[in-house]
Amino acid sequence: MAQDILNKKATEVLIIGGSAGSLEVILHALPLLSNPLKIAIIIVLHRKSSSESILTELLCIKTSIPVKEADEKEFIKSGTIYLAPADYHLLIEKDRTFSLDYSEKINFSRPCIDLTFQTAAEVYRESLAALLLSGANADGVEGLELIQLTGGLTAVQNPEDAKISYMPQHALDKLKPDLILNKDEVADFINRLH
Amino acid sequence: MQESLITDENVELLLADLLEVYGYDFTDYSRASLKRRINRLYSLDKFPSFAEFRYHLRSDATYLKRFVEQITVNVTEMFRDPGFYKALREEVLPNLGTYPFIRIWLAGCSTGEEAYSMAILLQEANLFHKSLLYATDINPSVLEKAGKGIFPLSQMKQYSENYILSGGKKDFSSYYSANYDLAKFDEVLKTKMIFSTHNLVSDHSFNEFQLILCRNVLIYFDKDLQAKVFKLFDESLDNLGFLALGSKETLQFSPIASKFKKSGSEKIWRKIS
């Protein structure tokens, strides 16, 4: 696997985007992550708006790394895993804080992965990494293209390994990511980001 | 997807123009959302260059209306977060009932869905006859819509579910009449509503209220502006009045926090001093 790129790049933030079938990948990787985490992780998942805090609790159980829902105006710190709150778009400000936005759904989704990818790409540029997982929606693909354009690191789950191949396959149709990962390789990938 | 055509610097120029030419102050709004919406408008209206966009905005006052309407977020729902409305029914309204006259301010009411939800709650609590709802927004055009009380029929299934989850016991469809793809709400609900423009950035307090609802508005403001608006709400609330915010907003770190006590698990605070 072309993981040499991980040694060359300095990453501050990793954004993981996913839809149907992505939660199991995250739950699988979380217990294998080294604590302390050298970067910040932001997870943007499509989910039902009613599923509130249960998801945060579910992720907390799987790791000793601090996991929390992103608060508006909160400063993004390394060593923390942030989760996009249900039913809001999660945006990244130039001063590296979170903003929430309750505007129209995009790609039938709120939070919209493209939007977090896009605003983060314009702030973090080369020091951003993104991983797009399983899903039945094309959300995230355009944002991933922008991250590649602005010099960030791009990774996509192997569609053959994904529960729902549509989202990662769509990404591969549109761009050549730096890495294509199986579920079992996700934790190692994250641990090597620095 | 490409990088935003309207850059951070462009955004600052436009905001300075708005303030200088029209007196609209957006300089304390969070930038990421503004930048996205300005870029969206720039593409929608197919300007050939930033210079033309800027010139058009500076010189055409009718375009200003569209600009303000498009860069602010006007998405809202009836009975959004049913648990919140349940708390209003069970914890707040019984308190308001003790007043001879109830004044409620819906700040940033957008197209009015919350005002109609509130009116329904007041009716069901038998408080409607002695209540007055002041619904304000920065955008005149959304207030026009709010005043009509007509919403897409396609939303009613969701709203009806929200209503029932909020503790509503009636048949939700008894509050509107359906006409083609529209639902027109009972005219009676409007009789206690006053719609008016109000800019939270620059306008002052205009009355004393027992309840202020301002949900999903402060998320678009920076910390300083949030503090300023909290002060305005504090000045506009009766002693023992209630302030209700959006589900991801908090009074906790604001300068007025010590004067308020959180009431229950929803985002509702009561003024205690």
Side-chain angles (χ1 to χ4, degrees), chain B residues 85-179:
Chain B
Y85 281 94
K86 200 167 192 297
L88 281 185
R89 277 184 203 274
E90 292 169 0
E91 294 156 34
V92 176
L93 292 191
N95 268 296
L96 298 189
T98 62
Y99 290 87
F101 191 71
I102 305 165
R103 275 188 297 267
I104 298 171
W105 179 14
L106 297 116
C109 70
S110 186
T111 40
E113 282 83 341
E114 281 199 328
Y116 288 87
S117 308
M118 195 68 222
I120 289 171
L121 286 194
L122 290 164
Q123 266 202 345
E124 295 185 357
N126 272 326
L127 300 173
F128 188 68
H129 63 281
K130 60 170 182 176
S131 303
L132 209 44
L133 295 164
Y134 294 77
T136 66
D137 201 278
I138 185 177
N139 276 320
S141 47
V142 293
L143 291 171
E144 258 171 58
K145 276 192 196 153
K148 293 199 175 97
I150 300 175
F151 304 115
L153 192 62
S154 56
Q155 298 285 330
M156 293 305 133
K157 185 171 172 285
Q158 174 71 46
Y159 293 174
S160 172
E161 284 168 19
N162 288 354
Y163 165 78
I164 290 162
L165 287 171
S166 80
K169 301 272 189 297
K170 294 176 94 169
D171 180 355
F172 188 65
S173 64
S174 67
Y175 286 108
Y176 62 84
S177 45
N179 196 351

Side-chain angles (χ1 to χ4, degrees), chain B residues 9-56:
Chain B
E9 292 72 31
N10 294 157
V11 170
E12 298 312 312
L13 284 173
L14 294 175
L15 298 188
D17 286 353
L18 279 179
L19 185 57
E20 180 207 318
V21 182
Y22 301 107
Y24 266 110
D25 187 358
F26 286 98
T27 56
D28 291 323
Y29 275 55
S30 296
R31 289 298 190 272
S33 174
L34 267 190
K35 185 182 175 190
R36 181 175 89 80
R37 297 190 73 84
I38 291 173
N39 269 283
R40 183 174 157 272
L41 181 63
Y42 178 72
S43 316
L44 272 177
D45 291 352
K46 301 191 169 64
F47 284 99
S49 68
F50 170 69
E52 291 212 26
F53 186 35
R54 185 181 178 198
Y55 175 78
H56 199 60

Side-chain angles (χ1 to χ4, degrees), chain B residues 47-264:
Chain B
F47 284 99
S49 68
F50 170 69
E52 291 212 26
F53 186 35
R54 185 181 178 198
Y55 175 78
H56 199 60
L57 178 63
R58 282 186 68 104
S59 57
D60 182 354
T62 55
Y63 191 67
L64 167 79
K65 188 165 174 273
R66 173 165 171 80
F67 188 86
V68 171
E69 201 181 300
Q70 290 291 321
I71 65 167
T72 51
V73 174
N74 292 303
V75 178
T76 178
E77 256 180 50
M78 287 188 82
F79 293 97
R80 178 178 185 207
D81 305 323
F84 166 77
Y85 281 94
K86 200 167 192 297
L88 281 185
R89 277 184 203 274
E90 292 169 0
E91 294 156 34
V92 176
L93 292 191
N95 268 296
L96 298 189
T98 62
Y99 290 87
F101 191 71
I102 305 165
R103 275 188 297 267
I104 298 171
W105 179 14
L106 297 116
C109 70
S110 186
T111 40
E113 282 83 341
E114 281 199 328
Y116 288 87
S117 308
M118 195 68 222
I120 289 171
L121 286 194
L122 290 164
Q123 266 202 345
E124 295 185 357
N126 272 326
L127 300 173
F128 188 68
H129 63 281
K130 60 170 182 176
S131 303
L132 209 44
L133 295 164
Y134 294 77
T136 66
D137 201 278
I138 185 177
N139 276 320
S141 47
V142 293
L143 291 171
E144 258 171 58
K145 276 192 196 153
K148 293 199 175 97
I150 300 175
F151 304 115
L153 192 62
S154 56
Q155 298 285 330
M156 293 305 133
K157 185 171 172 285
Q158 174 71 46
Y159 293 174
S160 172
E161 284 168 19
N162 288 354
Y163 165 78
I164 290 162
L165 287 171
S166 80
K169 301 272 189 297
K170 294 176 94 169
D171 180 355
F172 188 65
S173 64
S174 67
Y175 286 108
Y176 62 84
S177 45
N179 196 351
Y180 296 99
D181 50 358
L182 298 172
K184 183 171 182 12
F185 276 74
D186 189 349
E187 292 276 340
V188 173
L189 297 172
K190 270 196 293 201
T191 56
K192 301 288 186 180
M193 293 180 193
I194 295 170
F195 297 101
S196 165
T197 55
H198 183 278
N199 186 344
L200 289 168
V201 178
S202 51
D203 293 340
H204 298 285
S205 175
F206 58 97
N207 216 325
E208 287 238 322
F209 301 93
Q210 283 81 44
L211 168 62
I212 297 175
L213 276 92
C214 184
R215 304 178 69 221
N216 297 310
V217 176
L218 296 170
I219 48 174
Y220 303 109
F221 296 172
D222 71 15
K223 278 226 153 112
D224 292 341
L225 181 54
Q226 286 181 350
K228 193 176 144 189
V229 174
F230 279 135
K231 197 167 154 277
L232 171 68
F233 289 158
D234 181 36
E235 288 163 5
S236 310
L237 266 180
D238 261 2
N239 270 337
L240 301 175
F242 294 88
L243 175 61
L245 304 177
S247 62
K248 298 297 163 197
E249 294 163 332
T250 182
L251 198 67
Q252 211 182 342
F253 308 107
S254 80
I256 60 161
S258 62
K259 301 171 82 173
F260 284 76
K261 188 173 176 287
K262 187 133 186 294
S263 153

Side-chain angles (χ1 to χ4, degrees), chain A residues 52 69 72-73 85-89 91-94 99-104 106 110 114-115 118-119 122 125 142-143 145-146 149-150, chain B residues 1-4 8-9 30-33 35-37 40 73-77 80-81 216 218-223 226 246-249:
Chain A
E52 274 314 314
E69 210 168 71
E72 65 116 16
K73 307 286 181 294
D87 212 21
Y88 286 87
H89 296 305
L91 278 53
I92 313 297
E93 297 284 345
K94 238 183 355 185
S99 270
L100 298 178
D101 177 311
Y102 187 63
S103 52
E104 299 79 0
I106 302 171
R110 190 171 51 219
D114 272 336
L115 210 46
Q118 184 194 7
T119 53
E122 293 188 1
R125 308 194 76 88
E142 285 196 5
E145 286 180 286
L146 180 64
L149 196 73
T150 51
Chain B
M1 188 181 273
Q2 50 190 358
E3 280 200 62
S4 302
D8 295 331
E9 292 72 31
S30 296
R31 289 298 190 272
S33 174
K35 185 182 175 190
R36 181 175 89 80
R37 297 190 73 84
R40 183 174 157 272
V73 174
N74 292 303
V75 178
T76 178
E77 256 180 50
R80 178 178 185 207
D81 305 323
N216 297 310
L218 296 170
I219 48 174
Y220 303 109
F221 296 172
D222 71 15
K223 278 226 153 112
Q226 286 181 350
S247 62
K248 298 297 163 197
E249 294 163 332

Side-chain angles (χ1 to χ4, degrees), chain A residues 122-135:
Chain A
E122 293 188 1
V123 171
Y124 287 100
R125 308 194 76 88
E126 297 84 5
S127 64
L128 180 67
L131 167 63
L132 193 65
L133 299 174
S134 164

